[in-house]
Amino acid sequence: MFRGSADAKIDDKGRLKIPSKFRELLFSRFGPKVFVTSFGHPSMRVYPLSEWMQVEEVLRKSGWGDDPRVQQFLRTVDLYGDEQEVDPQGRLLVHPRLRRHASMNGEVVVLGHPTNFLEVWNEEALNQLQAKEPLTEETIRFVSGILREARHGNGGPPHPGDGPGGGSVPPG
């Protein structure tokens, strides 16, 4: 699983070089094929293709495929989405539309998530978001509750969308 952060750069040709701390795990566990997209905040998500295919499978089998919210999500994902293969030097091409949307140029920050995707941010945009939406005690308590429930098996953890600030997030 991915964790932590690393600095990276989008070069003049629009390529992101995946930091070595993430690249080694990506290649060894998932292979070089990825799905690159954006939804929500103007950032970029890099999913190992096998992980993104699981998201698609859940949506396909859920019975919610015709729901306008799912259609809106898929429209956004597909607008910015692109299947890519990370080259042997660890670079992947970022589609120009996605680069414009998420201000992907120059210095960026790559965040590794234990839910098996990388989140890439323009560093200035990430710093602005962190200042605008700092980590709150309420959020820390919410996550602590998830961890406590998972450790002790008391009815299972809350589901995405439960509790304050919920909002459902696709598996990832």
Side-chain angles (χ1 to χ4, degrees), residues 7-11 15-20 23 89-92 108 110:
D7 295 329
K9 185 176 182 179
I10 305 285
D11 70 17
R15 298 174 300 187
L16 168 69
K17 185 163 186 178
I18 305 287
S20 62
R23 186 172 58 242
Q89 290 78 40
R91 299 172 302 194
L92 70 93
V108 297
V110 181

Side-chain angles (χ1 to χ4, degrees), residues 19 21 26 61 68 77-78 113 115 147-148 168 171:
K21 72 184 278 181
L26 175 67
K61 290 183 173 181
V77 164
D78 288 339
H113 292 291
T115 48
L147 297 172
R148 188 172 37 261
S168 80

Side-chain angles (χ1 to χ4, degrees), residues 62-128:
S62 71
W64 288 90
D66 290 332
D67 185 280
R69 295 167 294 189
V70 173
Q71 290 296 312
Q72 181 183 30
F73 172 79
L74 291 173
R75 191 171 37 255
T76 301
V77 164
D78 288 339
L79 176 65
Y80 299 117
D82 195 22
E83 193 173 316
Q84 288 286 326
E85 187 163 331
V86 180
D87 73 16
Q89 290 78 40
R91 299 172 302 194
L92 70 93
L93 184 62
V94 180
H95 191 283
R97 180 180 298 115
L98 178 54
R99 286 198 317 265
R100 285 189 304 272
H101 166 73
S103 299
M104 288 291 132
N105 48 49
E107 301 299 320
V108 297
V109 177
V110 181
L111 307 174
H113 292 291
T115 48
N116 291 333
F117 72 91
L118 300 172
E119 189 175 28
V120 185
W121 282 87
N122 169 294
E123 188 168 11
E124 184 178 327
L126 178 58
N127 289 337
Q128 288 173 359

Side-chain angles (χ1 to χ4, degrees), residues 156-169:
H159 299 287
D162 290 350
S168 80
V169 175

Side-chain angles (χ1 to χ4, degrees), residues 145-157:
I146 292 171
L147 297 172
R148 188 172 37 261
E149 292 294 330
R151 286 189 190 123
H152 301 293
N154 299 333

